[in-house]
Amino acid sequence: MENITIQVDPETAKAYREAEAEKQQKIQIFLNLMLKKAISQKPLLDIMEEASQQAIANGMTPEILESILNDEN
């Protein structure tokens, strides 16, 4: 993996910095998928399949993804 820098609002930055390492990793996986989708010329289904395989290899489960998406903190 490679690091990049993106700008977010102060509240988001603070919440991310204060999150546990495991949650930060899960957020990184999710954001990687969203960035790929936004910039790729590949069909969305191909991107989703690749991201799914990568996420599973890194320990992501449907339950974890749902908890990230539904987390209000």
Side-chain angles (χ1 to χ4, degrees):
M1 297 291 269
E2 188 173 330
N3 290 325
I4 63 169
T5 302
I6 59 170
Q7 293 186 356
V8 296
D9 62 79
E11 183 179 308
T12 300
K14 182 178 185 290
Y16 179 81
R17 281 192 302 271
E18 293 175 354
E20 295 177 10
E22 182 178 332
K23 185 165 188 174
Q24 287 181 358
Q25 182 182 20
K26 293 172 187 173
I27 293 168
Q28 290 169 21
I29 292 168
F30 177 75
L31 289 176
N32 191 49
L33 168 63
M34 293 297 102
L35 287 170
K36 281 184 180 181
K37 176 184 167 196
I39 62 174
S40 181
Q41 298 291 327
K42 292 182 184 180
L44 177 58
L45 191 55
D46 291 349
I47 295 168
M48 291 174 66
E49 180 63 30
E50 289 174 14
S52 176
Q53 292 173 359
Q54 180 182 5
I56 290 168
N58 286 306
M60 180 70 77
T61 65
E63 294 79 16
I64 293 170
L65 179 58
E66 183 176 346
S67 75
I68 291 170
L69 295 174
N70 291 330
D71 192 356
E72 306 215 355
N73 293 325

